Amino acid sequence: QVQLVESGGGLVQAGGSLRLSCVASGSIFVFESTYWYRQAPGKEREWVARISSDGSSIYANPVKGRFTVSRDNTENTAYLQMNSLKPEDTAVYYCNSFIGTVADRAPRSYWGQGTQVTVSS
């Protein structure tokens, strides 16, 4: 059994920063790519960023230059550092990691529970 737990959301003023964490626990054999998504009220969920198992990353245009993804493979954790936050970044943020377990080594998709980020103007 694998669990993916997010933390780090909160309320911040425009221009501020937050760091989200996405921690995988359980019988993990391999911790592959992690994707970050967000969903604002009344909007579709949108992709934000991705970090691969080798550390390479890619970002959606609205967050490029402000957000940074990273990972700690020893801790099976991915991070989303968000700087220069804007009110339009307000959303529930989700991580989605591809994880293979000891029992079933084929990576499967797991989702975190989501964490609220609110940016005030």
Side-chain angles (χ1 to χ4, degrees), residues 77-91:
T77 300
Y79 301 97
L80 179 66
Q81 177 68 44
M82 305 184 294
N83 298 329
S84 302
L85 282 162
K86 305 176 181 179
E88 51 263 43
D89 294 319
T90 295

Side-chain angles (χ1 to χ4, degrees), residues 23-24 31 72-77 79:
V23 181
F31 184 52
D72 182 342
N73 291 332
T74 64
E75 299 290 337
N76 294 324
T77 300
Y79 301 97

Side-chain angles (χ1 to χ4, degrees), residues 14 38-41 43 46 62-63 66-67 84-91 93 117-121:
R38 66 186 182 186
Q39 188 165 19
K43 294 190 176 182
E46 66 171 345
V63 307
R66 299 187 297 121
F67 290 13
S84 302
L85 282 162
K86 305 176 181 179
E88 51 263 43
D89 294 319
T90 295
Y93 283 72
V117 171
T118 303
V119 184
S120 63
S121 57

